[in-house]
Each structure stands twice: as structure tokens, then as C-alpha cells.
Amino acid sequence: MVLVVAANAAARAQSKPEAIEPMPADARIAAALQQVSAEHIRANIEKLVSFGTRATLSAQDPGSIVAGRGIGAAREWIKTEFERYSRDCGGCLEVKTDRFTEQPADRIPQPTEITNVYAVLKGSDAENAKHIVLVTGHYDSRNSEALDAKTDAPGANDDGSGTAVSLECARVLSKMKFPATIIFLAVAGEEQGLNGSRHFAKMAKDQGWNIEAVLNNDIVGGDKSAEQDHRVVRVFSEGLPAAAAEQDIRRIRGLGGESDSGSRQLARYVAEVGRTYDAGVKPMLIFRLDRYLRGGDHYSFNQQGFSAVRFTEFREDFHHQHQNVRTENGIEYGDLAKFVDFEYVARVARLNAATLATLASAPPPPANVHLLTKDLENDSTLSWEAPPGGLAMGYEVVWRGTTSSEWEHVQKIGSGTRVTLPVSKDNVIFAVRAVDAEGHRSLPVVPVPER
Ligand SMILES: [Zn+2]
């Protein structure tokens, strides 16, 4: 492909646009996915269940930590586990806590200390380390009563499974180096009202962290009910961004951008990664924030303007969530480890690890992506700026029909930052992404119209 880029004029694309192909697989990432272990995941979920209850309101005094019952003991164990992975990689993980006191609210009867635990795998060069990808699950649990701090609440699936995904991604990916930073997070307070994730996301926003993707795993246990589909994991993403200002909403309404939030680009990216690496489970994109009547920690990040999606098994068994452990009329209730398919959790962990590793290897997305709309014309001219960090070797303009769910066409661009395509902007949705020397793609950015 030959592109002639004049100083200020837009180059006309010389090659023909192509149908989009999966990203090339990175042998290093493929090898890492082989390390994800259902056996480790089983051991971690069973350990989390062994704390009896991990209700946010349950015990966290030194005595109960020693006795191994309650959320305090669970928190200390998660921290120790991250620290063990860090020792195995020569101290590559920084293990931290985000601790605060939540004041009384709906499901918080008295001031309650809430602690998020996380491990940071810092990016290998200063500039690229500023861009961050994050995986999270909630380690708190509940039974039939949201305020019950005493009775068992095993929380094997909800959300021992998501916590185990965070831990296993940390164990496996900490053996590698990436230009960008990866954060492995386990939050508390989810069942009381997303308290832990809300505090963490706000801290990230206040401190100016450049979190580019959040993968929230909540109920990824692949409950062994007859109607379960173990080949599929749902990926939920918001349409209209929770953090959109009035002027953003006006633009979205005017241009038909309802399905192009950052979170939705992230969901499409997960689908693309799922085609490049066979994790054993296929992402099923659900274009809505969450399930009916339910919420999750990804929303806390959405509210602060971060792109975040939720992974959840294909079909939930509500006898095995938010239930006291009991048998009634021959039905077993309770979120027990025996209902979890550990192989399935491992497959979901592989899809998460592949997404994190690909994004952490890729350049940051291009900046200031614009679509020229000064004149009425049938061609489309896009311009952008190189992202910092020096990884971007080239760019791709991708597009799709306005009724299509995923990107369909790609025009490869060299290192230029402006191009004119013989495709009418009125008929399609465009985005631009950066590509490094090995073919890792950044998240795509939908252009802002420029007059
Ligand atoms: Zn949950």
C-alpha cells in the first residue's frame, strides 16, 4: 500500500479497504493463556468459601482474622496471595489496599470499614505505564439477607469466581512484562451498594489515573444447571455513557452514536480478542448496562467516565445466589463451590487475560480523532494525533454499517495521521485505532465531527 501524505492535505487512501480480520495472535500471550489453571481457580474459590461469610458487615477484628471467619480474614488472605505472586516474580507487583469508612446508608447500619485489595503490575516504560487496564471482582458475599453478618454466605460463584479471575490473571500475567500498567483488583461492599468500587473509581478519577479499560467479572462460575451454555460468557456494556454531559448526549443523539460508548468499543474488543485466541469460551455481547433489576461494579467506573464491561455466565441459577444454604422441597439453595464449573471459570480467566495482555501490549488509542464535516461531500476525511509512548507504528480506520454490531471494514494507514476515504460518513460509523510493530491494536476511537 502506498500513501502519499502531503504536509497538511489529506492523503487519499490508495489501497482497497478490506473486510476486517482477527488480530494476529502474539505467541507470548498464547503461551501465558496455557498457564491459567482450573486447579488454582478451584483452590482459590474453595479458600474464599472457607471463610464462612464474606459479608461486608461481617467480622474483621484481629481475633476473627486469626480464626479465619469473616471478611477481614478473606481480605488478609487475598493480600497474602497477591504478595506470594509478587515474590515469585521478583517483587514485580505492588500490593496495596484502598481502605475507608463508609457512613450509614441503606444497607450499612453502622459506620463500616471497607477495604479494596489490589496489585499493580507497573508498565515497563514511564510514558506507556500511564495507561492502565484493570480487572476486578468483588470478594464480599451475601445470603438471603443483605444485612446478615453472621450466617454462612459462601459466595462461590457470586463472586468468588470473579475474585478468582482477578487473582489468576495476576498470577499468570505477573510473569510477563508489558509497556502499559495492569491493575488486579478485588473490591468489597458490592452487595451493600457498590461501595468499594465507587470509592476506588472515584479515587482513580480524582488522582487522574488513565484507566482505559475495566473488566468486571461477577458470577462467572458457569453454574452447572441443565440449561447452562458453557461455551458462552455474556459481556454487558452501557450504551449512552453514564458520565455523558448534556452536550455529549446532544451529539450522540444527532449522529446516531448510541452504540459507540467507550464501554461498547471495549466489548467489541473483547469479541475480537476472543476470535484471535481460543479461550474455550465465546463472548456474547449484550448491548445493555446490566441484567434486569441488577447492577455491578462496572457501573461505578462508568459513572466516573471510564470504559467498563461486565462478564457474567450465560445463565444464572437464582437458587444458588443470595440464598441461605438450605434444602427446601428437594431444592438445594446456596452459593456453594460444588455448583461452580472451575474449567469454565478458567476459560473466562483466559479471555480476560488475553484482553488485558493485548491492551497492555498495544499503543494507547490515537488522540484528538476528528471527522471533517466542513463541506457537503461524499468522501470522508479523518485526522488524529499520534498517542504518546512511541509504540504506534501505524493506524487503521475501521467502519461498519449503522445497523451492524461490530466493525466490518478496515483501511490500513501507514504512519500518517490524516486520510480521505471514498466512503460516505453519512452511511457508516468510523473509528481509528493505533497498531504497534507486532500488530497489537489499541481500542478504537470514534471521531468527533469538526467544522
Ligand atoms: Zn455479584
Side-chain angles (χ1 to χ4, degrees):
M1 175 177 71
V2 180
L3 277 183
V4 183
V5 184
N8 267 317
R12 266 192 95 76
Q14 298 295 302
S15 64
K16 280 221 159 67
E18 299 162 24
I20 214 154
E21 293 275 337
M23 279 185 258
D26 175 331
R28 228 169 53 107
I29 294 174
L33 301 184
Q34 300 294 317
Q35 304 300 310
V36 172
S37 149
E39 194 43 44
H40 272 111
I41 285 169
R42 183 192 61 74
N44 288 345
I45 291 176
E46 287 177 352
K47 184 69 188 180
L48 287 164
V49 170
S50 79
F51 299 112
T53 175
R54 306 186 309 278
T56 297
L57 307 175
S58 67
Q60 44 181 320
D61 58 285
S64 49
I65 291 173
V66 171
R69 186 171 177 93
I71 193 161
R75 170 192 82 209
E76 292 306 311
W77 174 77
I78 292 167
K79 196 157 159 281
T80 306
E81 198 64 10
F82 278 139
E83 283 162 352
R84 194 164 66 80
Y85 305 156
S86 188
R87 272 197 306 280
D88 289 348
C89 62
C92 73
L93 293 174
E94 204 183 331
V95 181
K96 304 178 92 163
T97 53
D98 161 36
R99 187 169 296 198
F100 62 99
T101 300
E102 194 68 291
Q103 293 310 314
D106 233 11
R107 291 178 175 183
I108 312 243
Q110 67 273 328
T112 301
E113 189 171 271
I114 293 180
T115 306
N116 302 315
V117 186
Y118 62 110
V120 181
L121 179 63
K122 192 117 175 120
S124 55
D125 80 85
E127 186 56 49
N128 285 298
K130 291 181 198 158
H131 96 117
I132 301 170
V133 293
L134 183 150
V135 60
T136 187
H138 69 87
Y139 73 92
D140 62 309
S141 66
R142 62 164 285 182
N143 53 33
S144 303
E145 296 298 327
L147 300 182
D148 181 349
K150 296 268 188 266
T151 316
D152 276 358
N157 193 352
D158 187 10
D159 185 27
S161 63
T163 305
V165 166
S166 238
L167 285 166
E168 188 63 356
C169 286
R171 190 184 68 83
V172 167
L173 297 181
S174 59
K175 296 178 176 145
M176 303 171 71
K177 291 226 176 304
F178 301 96
T181 295
I182 307 180
I183 295 178
F184 309 93
L185 173 63
V187 297
E190 198 273 351
E191 302 291 7
Q192 310 313 116
L194 313 180
N195 306 70
S197 58
R198 186 181 309 118
H199 189 268
F200 190 94
K202 191 168 182 309
M203 170 183 78
K205 175 75 183 294
D206 291 347
Q207 296 186 6
W209 296 8
N210 182 15
I211 301 179
E212 142 183 328
V214 173
L215 309 180
N216 174 33
N217 289 267
D218 195 351
I219 311 175
V220 291
D223 184 278
K224 295 171 184 163
S225 54
E227 301 88 344
Q228 188 63 275
D229 187 342
H230 293 271
R231 297 159 303 173
V232 168
V233 63
R234 291 181 287 174
V235 179
F236 291 87
S237 58
E238 66 174 4
L240 280 182
E246 193 50 45
Q247 65 190 46
D248 301 323
I249 301 279
R250 265 204 304 278
R251 187 179 73 234
I252 289 167
R253 186 184 292 129
L255 299 174
E258 297 87 349
S259 196
D260 281 283
S261 64
S263 301
R264 204 143 281 176
Q265 307 310 349
L266 175 56
R268 293 185 178 105
Y269 195 94
V270 172
E272 221 178 332
V273 167
R275 287 189 283 270
T276 294
Y277 300 95
D278 184 11
V281 68
K282 287 291 167 209
M284 177 192 199
L285 305 191
I286 309 283
F287 284 179
R288 57 166 52 120
L289 173 63
D290 211 321
R291 305 140 306 148
Y292 280 89
L293 304 174
R294 310 292 291 279
D297 293 316
H298 56 310
Y299 184 58
S300 294
F301 289 92
N302 287 159
Q303 285 181 305
Q304 299 299 331
F306 297 118
S307 300
V309 298
R310 175 194 183 120
F311 292 75
T312 299
E313 64 190 14
F314 175 72
R315 183 184 187 277
E316 295 164 83
D317 187 328
F318 301 107
H319 294 144
H320 301 157
Q321 295 176 18
H322 300 194
Q323 295 284 354
N324 285 355
V325 179
R326 67 196 191 279
T327 301
E328 255 175 41
N329 304 322
I331 297 171
E332 278 191 282
Y333 291 86
D335 192 352
L336 298 168
K338 68 175 177 180
F339 301 124
V340 171
D341 178 345
F342 305 111
E343 289 290 345
Y344 178 83
V345 184
R347 295 197 280 271
V348 174
R350 282 187 199 105
L351 181 59
N352 273 263
T355 306
L356 295 168
T358 308
L359 279 171
S361 302
N368 291 320
V369 181
H370 286 112
L371 177 62
L372 261 65
T373 57
K374 192 156 40 82
D375 302 311
L376 290 173
E377 55 188 0
N378 286 304
D379 285 352
S380 302
T381 297
L382 295 103
S383 71
W384 57 92
E385 286 167 21
L391 289 175
M393 290 292 123
Y395 303 92
E396 291 178 348
V397 177
V398 293
W399 64 95
R400 63 177 208 277
T402 58
T403 57
S404 301
S405 55
E406 287 197 63
W407 302 111
E408 298 171 317
H409 306 284
V410 60
Q411 176 72 60
K412 293 177 178 152
I413 315 290
S415 56
T417 56
R418 192 175 167 102
V419 72
T420 298
L421 296 170
V423 177
S424 170
K425 54 193 161 295
D426 298 326
N427 301 346
V428 302
I429 292 165
F430 284 112
V432 183
R433 60 191 188 182
V435 188
D436 78 350
E438 277 94 47
H440 303 111
R441 269 71 167 177
S442 73
L443 284 164
V445 181
V446 172
V448 173
E450 177 189 304
R451 272 184 246 284

